Amino acid sequence: LGTFCGNYAFYFVFSWLPLYLVNERGLSLATMTEVASAFYVVDGVTVLVAGLLLDRWVTRGTSFNRAYKTALACSSAGVGLCLIASSQVSSLLPAAAILLLTGVFDGLNSPSNPSVTQTFAGPWATGRWMGIQNAVGNVAGMTAPVVTGYLVQQSGHYTSALLVSGGVALCGLVAWLVIVPEVKPVDWAGERAKHEAGRTA
């Protein structure tokens, strides 16, 4: 759920940002290219910086649970609120600033999201767990562009699409803060012993 919600917002931006900037914000193709590129640069740099800072935070004694959930909660809340705010801003300069801030918050997701799964699974199950997580999360890649296209076609504007994408991103908070348990390695030997004890009983 957390991956789906985060990916939904990302795929919305990934697939519709150029058309949004041209059709809704009135940018030329040349200016749109610069603004869209700036978003991806900010997003990418944040991924690198966030990964470095998270590693340092954990190295200094912070638990995996606190470090990763803090980053994921900030990402979900930040992306969601920025997308919703974008739907309400008419001036181009504040809209561009909010867009770049969206990239910052989105960048917090990439290093922490798979780290949660890999911490839980360990070397024995990381491949299987990441495979399932990516499969479910990338359903958003099929859903977000279609839903956005429908909403834009029906309304003629991107307001409802921004609100939906922001709302979905905010739903990720439920996953990371309520549903996902404490992030710590699974004791596979202990789990196997419990399983065997249950079978013999």
Side-chain angles (χ1 to χ4, degrees):
L1 177 60
T3 302
F4 177 90
C5 291
N7 281 9
Y8 186 99
F10 171 78
Y11 280 118
F12 163 73
V13 175
F14 183 78
S15 60
W16 282 93
L17 180 60
L19 288 173
Y20 166 74
L21 292 174
V22 172
N23 296 334
E24 189 84 357
R25 294 297 177 180
L27 300 184
S28 66
L29 289 177
T31 305
M32 174 275 291
T33 303
E34 294 174 357
V35 173
S37 297
F39 169 85
Y40 293 118
V41 168
V42 168
D43 194 315
V45 170
T46 303
V47 171
L48 295 173
V49 173
L52 177 65
L53 293 179
L54 284 169
D55 281 350
R56 288 186 177 180
W57 201 12
V58 169
T59 300
R60 292 177 180 177
T62 301
S63 68
F64 294 131
N65 187 69
R66 182 178 181 186
Y68 298 148
K69 285 191 176 184
T70 297
L72 290 166
C74 288
S75 178
S76 298
V79 169
L81 293 175
C82 282
L83 290 176
I84 292 171
S86 294
S87 72
Q88 306 301 313
V89 174
S90 57
S91 179
L92 183 58
L93 189 57
I98 292 172
L99 177 65
L100 294 179
L101 190 58
T102 306
V104 171
F105 284 117
D106 185 68
L108 295 175
N109 180 76
S110 294
S112 46
N113 189 322
S115 297
V116 168
T117 304
Q118 292 168 12
T119 299
F120 276 128
W124 297 105
T126 291
R128 283 171 288 176
W129 284 26
M130 284 301 302
I132 294 171
Q133 178 175 322
N134 281 331
V136 173
N138 282 309
V139 170
M142 298 177 278
T143 308
V146 173
V147 171
T148 300
Y150 176 80
L151 293 173
V152 172
Q153 184 178 33
Q154 292 300 310
S155 66
H157 295 283
Y158 289 79
T159 300
S160 57
L162 285 163
L163 291 172
V164 168
S165 297
V168 172
L170 289 174
C171 288
L173 284 171
V174 177
W176 300 122
L177 298 182
V178 178
I179 298 175
V180 175
E182 180 183 356
V183 179
K184 61 182 180 180
V186 174
D187 179 8
W188 290 111
E191 292 298 319
R192 188 176 296 109
K194 290 179 187 177
H195 179 68
E196 292 298 329
R199 290 179 59 185
T200 57

